[in-house]
Amino acid sequence: MSPLYTAFLLLMAMASATPLWPGFYSETCSDAELIVREVMKKAMIREPRSVASVMRFQFHDCFVNGCDASLLLDDTPTMLGEKLALSNINSLRSFDVVDEVKEELEKVCPGTVSCADIIIMAARDAVALSGGPDWEVKLGRKDSLTASQEDSDNIMPSPRANASLLIDLFASFDLSIKDLVALSGSHSIGQGRCFSIMFRLYNQSGTGKPDPTIESSFREKLDNLCPVGGNENVTGDLDSTPIVFDNIYFKDLVAGRGFLNSDQTLYTFPETRDYVELFSKDQQAFFDAFVEGMIKMGDLQSGRPGEIRTNCRVVNTHHRPVDVLLET
């Protein structure tokens, strides 16, 4: 199934999806958002990079059949989940932080807060705790009953992607060019692997040469970090201030110091360049656009049946024919 057709089905499903609203848990679990933020604070103290890792979950979850925590499901003998998909394997990390959040919520409000909503709240908190904007999130999602490695492989973009491909992908989810550039600013925090940039450094577009858009001193730094034949799981900072959510990411792109190819092409492509320049000069404009994009992305739903998982890694055990009959 093509990414565009999958996105079309997702947009169609949104019309009949579960309504989402702020304060969804105000009566059933009034401390839910406070609990999520407290766990995120502790995770940030233990390992600052972990909150950036958790923030990525929203992107990798919502683009694949909507925001339903399918990303968090472990493989089973009958299902290949999304954790080992091409864009996730050896890349996504800190699943244990979500486990910790869920464990705390289950103590206070068992069977109430979905893993899908935890991802949305934790992503927001990752940004706010790193110095970025804070915002009100809409909640009320259900957790998926399955996951699909194939769907993730077909939809999620490669670090080699250029701005043109990204524009088409985001448009298929009714996200604008402005949304694309602003949401790419999530790379204001965190790190990326050498694996993702080796082709940029040594064989851009099959030329056997480095990407000419990389600023020379930055390229020298990356060459030292990621030498030919070196460990491609070594990580480098995605921007100059990797634990602070700010607009330095865009200033770096203007200066030719973008880590990923998919980042730097936002400046070299005319369709996206103006927004990169705007956000590099106006941090508040970036923050406002980022919040708008995150909320729009959080609205993506598949319309499929769901549940509230008690363990984010596995579906609940009550899905047997007799239970379905009793519920009916």
Side-chain angles (χ1 to χ4, degrees):
M1 189 181 294
S2 74
L4 292 180
Y5 184 63
T6 301
F8 170 76
L9 293 178
L10 191 57
L11 290 171
M12 292 299 98
M14 284 171 61
S16 60
T18 307
L20 308 173
W21 65 86
F24 180 85
Y25 298 108
S26 59
E27 294 184 7
T28 56
C29 190
S30 58
D31 288 337
E33 295 193 50
L34 179 63
I35 290 169
V36 176
R37 184 156 297 199
E38 285 304 308
V39 174
M40 289 293 285
K41 283 181 183 176
K42 292 175 184 174
M44 189 176 195
I45 292 168
R46 284 198 308 264
E47 184 194 7
R49 183 186 170 198
S50 67
V51 295
S53 302
V54 172
M55 178 187 62
R56 310 246 185 278
F57 292 167
Q58 177 166 338
F59 292 76
H60 290 247
D61 184 43
C62 292
F63 273 3
V64 182
N65 301 318
C67 311
D68 60 3
S70 59
L71 173 71
L72 301 179
L73 288 173
D74 288 339
D75 289 354
T76 71
T78 58
M79 182 199 75
L80 283 178
E82 297 162 26
K83 290 181 178 177
L84 298 183
L86 294 174
S87 62
N88 302 337
I89 186 172
N90 296 326
S91 179
L92 290 187
R93 53 194 295 283
S94 300
F95 291 100
D96 57 303
V97 176
V98 175
D99 293 336
E100 189 177 343
V101 172
K102 184 61 173 171
E103 186 178 335
E104 291 302 311
L105 287 168
E106 287 297 305
K107 291 177 185 175
V108 180
C109 320
T112 303
V113 182
S114 70
C115 301
D117 280 343
I118 289 173
I119 288 176
I120 299 297
M121 289 185 276
R124 183 268 311 271
D125 293 345
V127 174
L129 292 171
S130 301
D134 204 346
W135 65 95
E136 196 171 47
V137 290
K138 292 187 282 185
L139 302 169
R141 297 163 189 80
K142 293 290 182 68
D143 298 325
S144 69
L145 305 178
T146 187
S148 173
Q149 188 177 123
E150 182 181 6
D151 286 351
S152 183
D153 285 340
N154 288 338
I155 293 169
M156 292 306 296
S158 158
R160 300 187 180 207
N162 60 33
S164 178
L165 185 151
L166 294 172
I167 288 169
D168 290 344
L169 174 65
F170 274 64
S172 70
F173 292 105
D174 204 25
L175 294 168
S176 67
I177 292 176
K178 181 181 180 181
D179 294 327
L180 161 63
V181 179
L183 290 172
S184 296
S186 65
H187 289 165
S188 170
I189 54 176
Q191 296 183 318
R193 292 185 300 149
C194 287
F195 171 81
S196 300
I197 63 169
M198 296 301 285
F199 73 100
R200 281 194 79 200
L201 296 178
Y202 306 111
N203 192 26
Q204 178 77 325
S205 302
T207 61
K209 298 178 180 179
D211 179 354
T213 66
I214 306 176
E215 189 267 331
S216 58
S217 62
F218 184 64
R219 192 185 77 212
E220 185 176 338
K221 176 183 174 182
L222 294 181
D223 285 344
N224 291 330
L225 179 71
C226 308
V228 174
N231 181 358
E232 295 189 2
N233 285 320
V234 167
T235 57
D237 297 336
L238 289 172
D239 85 346
S240 306
T241 54
I243 61 172
V244 180
F245 194 95
D246 53 24
N247 70 334
I248 297 297
Y249 164 83
F250 295 103
K251 294 180 185 292
D252 284 348
L253 297 187
V254 171
R257 294 195 292 266
F259 186 81
L260 299 175
N261 188 74
S262 53
D263 289 335
Q264 192 60 54
T265 66
L266 296 176
Y267 186 66
T268 56
F269 268 63
E271 296 94 329
T272 49
R273 183 178 186 135
D274 287 349
Y275 283 117
V276 173
E277 291 183 334
L278 169 65
F279 296 152
S280 74
K281 297 170 184 173
D282 188 338
Q283 181 165 279
Q284 191 57 51
F286 161 47
F287 283 1
D288 292 343
F290 183 83
V291 169
E292 182 181 347
M294 289 291 276
I295 292 172
K296 287 169 70 174
M297 192 202 315
D299 285 341
L300 296 174
Q301 296 188 70
S302 70
R304 296 173 177 176
E307 64 177 6
I308 307 298
R309 288 185 217 139
T310 56
N311 178 340
C312 291
R313 294 175 179 265
V314 296
V315 298
N316 296 338
T317 56
H318 63 253
H319 294 292
R320 299 190 304 272
V322 63
D323 292 318
V324 174
L325 287 171
L326 288 171
E327 288 170 11
T328 302

